[in-house]
Amino acid sequence: MAGAVVEGGRRRRADAGGAAGAGRRPDEQPHRRGTPLMRALECTPTLPGYALARLVGGARGGPFTMLRLAHRPPPELPGEGWVRLRPRLAGICGSDLAALHGHASPYLGALASSPFVPGHEVVADVSEGGGRWSAGARVVVEPLLHCGVRGVVPPCPRCAAGEPQGCESVAGDGLAAGLQSGYCAATGGGWSGEMVAHHSQLHEVPAALDDRDAVMVEPLACALHAVLRNPPAHDDRVLVVGAGTLGLLVVAALRHAARPRRVIAVAKHDGQRRLAARLGADLVCAPAEMLRTVRFETRARLVEGRAVEPFLLGGADLTFECSGTPAGLQGAIGCTRAGGTVVMVGMPGRATIDLAHAWHRELSVRGAYGYGIEAGGGLAVEPPRRTFAIALEAAQALRPGRLVDEPLPLDDYHRALARASSAGSRGLVKVAFAPGEDGG
Ligand SMILES: [Zn+2]
Ligand SMILES: [Zn+2]
């Protein structure tokens, strides 16, 4: 999972003396004499580390063999227009846990550079200004490392089309490889005392939002992006599979932005079912009840064959798969009607899934990754707006900080990661670090 090599190198950074400058490999740590060290949770993926993490990591925590609490120099400013940040809170995302447990797809490993400091859900103070930002501002980080952030000129075709989440420069043009801050050796991440970000990645946090609300803006933007890009019709029955942070926020986003006829939420744990109902689901059920519930609600026909999991003919018009698990995706395509849409919101990986359902029903199965600029579509965002701007506004109505557990210091990372790994069964949703706090 070392920094990816980009063939051809057709695009260069505008200020070539800047990021990861000439002669330095993107994964090398710069050292500045006399720079005070910072504390950071640093991840160094190795093949034996992956094997061990998969073996002993388990689903419920245990040793995270590729992560350590390091005392290291803060990342250097990669160039003009970059700022230094001191994270106030940094969330633990399911994708972080998948990477640390060795369960994430190798595809993502090829689009990261190491060692990296995780943490892409970040509310921070600007400690050294740049661009239009001065020290002291309280900001959230929009972590995508697209052409605009990387200084790649001209931008790639996807960035030029206003779709930065599909940026083609993420394998290492202009800046070390990384889809997002938190998976890039050059930027650092939120699980540390200090990180750097491009001025265009920052959004000021309105005073009405506390730090816990603010740390949820990134996952809320993911949920809003998924819903705004796949808007339900008013008459639609919408199924949401999985009720971790993303699933719950998709339920909230559906109620906030779309208002379909029915929202059915599938949640493993009692606490998640209560929260899903409170956030606007009309019906909630356990995974074992999903088929029966959707069948009843949509008057679908149940089919039980030999050597196949029972499935429906008929079902939901639109399904958001938010668990990122093979079982979740299999259930989602088995409960969606012919001609319907299944949106993969949770991060999937390698999986064995029977796609005959999707083929026969002419389902649209599509991904929803990150955020960017929302425009048009059934919900007509007019004029086009950044998803983060919409999320910051929605957060003031939804107050998602109520889903955040008491933040923990970096020193307590074993406890924090164990909590996050079994959040649902513990009645928790979002676990976050408070990097400025000393564990003593
Ligand atoms: Zn995430
Ligand atoms: Zn791009």
Side-chain angles (χ1 to χ4, degrees), residues 13-338:
R13 211 186 143 75
D15 53 335
R24 201 170 75 219
R25 290 209 335 264
D27 56 351
E28 265 177 45
Q29 288 288 316
H31 287 273
R32 285 177 291 158
R33 274 177 204 283
T35 311
L37 301 181
M38 63 164 192
R39 291 184 315 157
L41 291 170
E42 192 176 79
C43 182
T44 310
T46 60
L47 282 177
Y50 269 120
L52 195 60
R54 293 178 76 109
L55 200 67
V56 301
R60 300 200 170 267
F64 288 86
T65 55
M66 294 182 288
L67 194 71
R68 69 186 184 106
L69 183 60
H71 289 79
R72 49 165 277 179
E76 288 195 340
L77 292 172
E80 282 286 297
W82 285 73
V83 304
R84 271 185 196 289
L85 302 175
R86 283 212 188 93
R88 296 168 67 94
L89 291 182
I92 300 172
C93 172
S95 64
D96 299 323
L97 295 172
L100 296 172
H101 281 306
H103 293 153
S105 164
Y107 172 89
L108 297 161
L111 298 176
S113 49
S114 65
F116 62 86
V117 176
H120 57 274
E121 303 171 352
V122 186
V123 52
D125 289 320
V126 174
S127 59
E128 186 181 328
R132 67 184 181 90
W133 298 98
S134 41
R138 189 171 63 121
V139 295
V140 287
V141 179
E142 181 173 343
L144 295 188
L145 298 174
H146 53 77
C147 288
V149 172
R150 293 171 172 275
V152 172
V153 180
C156 76
R158 297 315 300 150
C159 285
E163 300 281 340
Q165 73 280 16
C167 178
E168 296 166 7
S169 297
V170 289
D173 286 303
L175 189 73
L179 286 176
Q180 303 189 352
S181 311
Y183 294 104
C184 172
T187 61
W191 299 4
S192 69
E194 216 173 299
M195 65 184 287
V196 297
H198 190 255
H199 70 91
S200 65
Q201 291 183 282
L202 305 183
H203 299 260
E204 186 153 25
V205 180
L209 296 183
D210 63 24
D211 286 347
R212 293 191 196 190
D213 291 321
V215 82
M216 292 292 275
V217 166
E218 194 273 349
L220 180 58
C222 287
L224 282 161
H225 177 70
V227 170
L228 292 170
R229 292 294 173 106
N230 301 280
H234 285 300
D235 208 31
D236 275 356
R237 280 147 319 183
V238 180
L239 178 63
V240 180
V241 180
T245 301
L246 270 180
L248 290 171
L249 291 178
V250 163
V251 168
L254 281 165
R255 279 293 162 228
H256 180 78
R259 304 199 167 273
R261 178 159 133 206
R262 296 291 258 179
V263 175
I264 306 165
V266 183
K268 218 171 181 176
H269 304 286
D270 265 351
Q272 294 175 329
R273 287 193 283 276
R274 276 195 298 274
L275 281 170
R278 210 180 300 161
L279 290 168
D282 302 295
L283 277 173
V284 291
C285 66
E289 305 287 305
M290 175 166 82
L291 218 59
R292 206 173 57 83
T293 307
V294 176
R295 177 194 182 192
F296 180 77
E297 185 57 27
T298 64
R299 300 173 194 277
R301 184 180 293 271
L302 179 72
V303 181
E304 293 173 286
R306 271 193 302 155
V308 63
E309 294 287 312
F311 60 88
L312 299 181
L313 287 176
D317 302 291
L318 170 63
T319 300
F320 292 91
E321 203 303 299
C322 302
S323 75
T325 64
L329 186 53
Q330 188 73 70
I333 63 173
C335 284
T336 306
R337 67 157 168 86

Side-chain angles (χ1 to χ4, degrees), residues 420-433:
S421 299
S422 56
S425 63
R426 295 169 188 242
L428 307 175
V429 181
K430 177 58 68 186
V431 180
F433 288 110

